[in-house]
């Protein structure tokens, strides 16, 4: 099994937004090569001239510091209803947004893009007929996006199972069903981005079961330290490694059992805006990388 260590750039949102800064942090201070870019660092709702200048700066500095943007993803400020918005006009706007984001991501080298499938409102979720209607519409939008991404040279799309039913893929069985429905008419394969810390359905909270059963369908796995029944997004440092349930050797063993062949293990660590954590961001990431380097060399 080919494993790579990389990083989701959500940690940089509103903190390290300058391309010259975050590329140096990833390449030099953390010694990582593989990057999952996030929309928070360059929201394509911005005017085209701004987007163009940012892409040029990102590409220039990515090359300078020897990093590769392999995928792109939604993040905190784009955790919205998008393809499952109850308003069809807004769903269409978000489809156009995703196409533009995919194009920009491809310019930066990404071969895949994605995020959460969509989020249902309580009004739609509580009505079974309405719920299925909106989910069906969301699937159509993902499929249309997949054909667009095929045309621009991407190899697959990815979506992340989430932690509550309204945000979908809440159990292993539901995730398998959604994968089947999505891929029934997709231009390129639609795969998963598993997260070892998401705490979904109460009967499905073993992260290693998710890895064993779905790891082969997940070319990217978000890694974080966490407690059972929570999604803490803690760094892999003491004392969190003493409290947490995520062990690198168990993660790798579960992925091997799944039949996975190529997986990017992507750090997705968050720090609250507090004196106790705000100034530890880089050091905590550095220690987390060192911890995982004992198990993954690439």
């Amino acid at each position: 099994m080919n494993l790579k260590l990389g990083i989701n750039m959500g940690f940089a949102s509103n903190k390290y937004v300058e391309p010259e800064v975050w590329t140096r942090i990833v390449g030099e201070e953390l010694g990582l090569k593989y990057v999952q870019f996030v929309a928070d660092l360059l929201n394509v709702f911005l005017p085209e001239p701004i987007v163009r200048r940012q892409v040029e700066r990102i590409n220039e500095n990515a090359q300078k510091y020897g990093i590769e943007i392999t995928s792109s993803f939604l993040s905190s400020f784009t955790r919205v209803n998008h393809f499952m918005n109850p308003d069809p006009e807004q769903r269409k706007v978000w489809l156009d947004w995703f196409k533009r984001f995919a194009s920009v991501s491809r310019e930066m080298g990404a071969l895949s893009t994605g995020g959460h499938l969509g989020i249902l409102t309580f009004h739609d979720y509580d009505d079974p007929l309405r719920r299925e209607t909106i989910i069906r519409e969301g699937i159509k939008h993902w499929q249309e996006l997949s054909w667009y991404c095929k045309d621009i040279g991407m190899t697959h799309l990815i979506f992340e199972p989430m932690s509550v039913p309204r945000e979908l893929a809440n159990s292993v069985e539901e995730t398998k069903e959604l994968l089947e429905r999505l891929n029934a008419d997709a231009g390129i394969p639609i795969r998963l981005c598993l997260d070892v810390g998401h705490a979904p359905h109460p009967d499905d909270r073993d992260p290693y079961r998710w890895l064993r059963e779905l790891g082969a369908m997940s070319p990217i796995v978000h890694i974080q330290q966490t407690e059972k029944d929570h999604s803490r997004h803690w760094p892999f440092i003491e004392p969190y490694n003493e409290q947490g349930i995520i062990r690198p050797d168990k993660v790798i063993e579960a992925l091997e059992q799944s039949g996975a062949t190529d997986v990017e293990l992507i750090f997705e660590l968050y720090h609250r805006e507090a004196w106790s954590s705000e100034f530890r961001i880089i050091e905590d990431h550095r220690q987390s990388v060192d911890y995982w380097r004992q198990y993954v060399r690439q």
Side-chain angles (χ1 to χ4, degrees):
M1 183 170 58
N2 180 37
L3 294 177
K4 300 176 182 177
L5 276 185
I7 191 164
N8 173 282
M9 292 306 302
F11 81 94
S13 298
N14 80 30
K15 301 176 182 70
Y16 305 104
V17 302
E18 306 92 338
E20 297 82 1
V21 174
W22 66 257
T23 53
R24 177 186 55 77
I25 289 171
V26 172
E28 285 194 348
E29 298 198 42
L30 302 183
L32 292 171
K33 181 175 182 178
Y34 305 104
V35 167
Q36 184 174 71
F37 188 78
V38 296
D40 290 1
L41 291 181
L42 181 56
N43 194 316
V44 295
F45 275 144
L46 290 167
E48 183 65 16
I50 295 176
V51 173
R52 296 266 56 81
R53 287 193 293 271
Q54 287 292 307
V55 170
E56 290 174 5
R57 289 171 64 188
I58 290 167
N59 284 340
E60 177 183 346
N61 285 280
Q63 183 176 10
K64 178 179 178 179
Y65 293 107
I67 66 175
E68 295 181 14
I69 295 173
T70 56
S71 66
S72 65
F73 218 61
L74 300 181
S75 195
S76 299
F77 304 141
T78 40
R79 187 173 176 175
V80 295
N81 305 94
H82 64 74
F83 290 165
M84 294 184 193
N85 192 294
D87 180 358
E89 292 182 336
Q90 293 190 54
R91 293 199 295 270
K92 176 61 168 62
V93 168
W94 278 103
L95 178 58
D96 293 340
W97 181 93
F98 262 102
K99 289 178 178 178
R100 191 177 182 207
F101 185 52
S103 293
V104 167
S105 302
R106 187 71 192 97
E107 288 183 58
M108 295 187 291
L111 291 174
S112 68
T113 190
H116 58 282
L117 273 179
I119 300 174
L120 294 158
T121 66
F122 271 108
H123 177 74
D124 289 339
Y125 178 79
D126 289 340
D127 180 339
L129 291 178
R130 179 71 178 166
R131 181 198 314 161
E132 175 56 26
T133 297
I134 296 297
I135 291 174
R136 191 162 53 242
E137 287 297 305
I139 288 172
K140 289 179 182 177
H141 280 64
W142 277 103
Q143 290 170 336
E144 181 174 339
L145 177 63
S146 76
W147 288 98
Y148 178 85
C149 288
K150 179 181 181 179
D151 290 341
I152 64 173
M154 286 190 164
T155 58
H156 58 284
L157 293 181
I158 44 177
F159 76 89
E160 185 172 28
M162 301 299 281
S163 295
V164 293
R166 284 188 310 108
E167 296 185 0
L168 301 182
N170 189 235
S171 67
V172 169
E173 285 71 23
E174 182 188 356
T175 302
K176 290 177 179 178
E177 178 191 355
L178 285 166
L179 276 170
E180 184 176 352
R181 293 179 67 179
L182 286 159
N183 283 289
D185 189 19
I188 52 177
I190 298 177
R191 297 293 184 246
L192 298 174
C193 177
L194 292 177
D195 186 314
V196 298
H198 281 194
H201 192 281
D203 296 331
D204 242 345
R205 288 182 172 167
D206 177 5
Y208 302 108
R209 183 198 172 205
W210 282 81
L211 293 172
R212 287 192 301 270
E213 296 209 22
L214 293 168
M217 299 294 288
S218 189
I220 293 175
V221 175
H222 286 166
I223 52 175
Q224 53 158 307
Q225 187 56 280
T226 191
E227 297 173 295
K228 188 176 185 295
D229 302 343
H230 293 281
S231 185
R232 298 296 194 191
H233 290 276
W234 285 335
F236 291 90
I237 63 172
E238 301 297 343
Y240 293 141
N241 287 336
E242 295 179 359
Q243 295 176 245
I245 61 171
I246 303 304
R247 300 286 179 266
D249 55 341
K250 293 184 66 175
V251 168
I252 293 170
E253 180 184 19
L255 286 170
E256 287 175 337
Q257 291 172 352
S258 78
T261 55
D262 292 278
V263 182
E264 288 183 35
L265 298 169
I266 300 290
F267 292 105
E268 192 182 41
L269 313 179
Y270 294 149
H271 287 70
R272 293 187 61 195
E273 291 77 9
W275 276 91
S276 59
S277 58
E278 174 85 351
F279 301 102
R280 290 196 52 86
I281 296 172
I282 304 305
E283 179 57 29
D284 284 355
H285 275 81
R286 187 183 293 117
Q287 290 186 36
S288 298
V289 172
D290 290 345
Y291 179 70
W292 274 84
R293 281 289 183 223
Q294 300 172 75
Y295 303 88
V296 182
R297 304 305 305 172
Q298 190 170 349

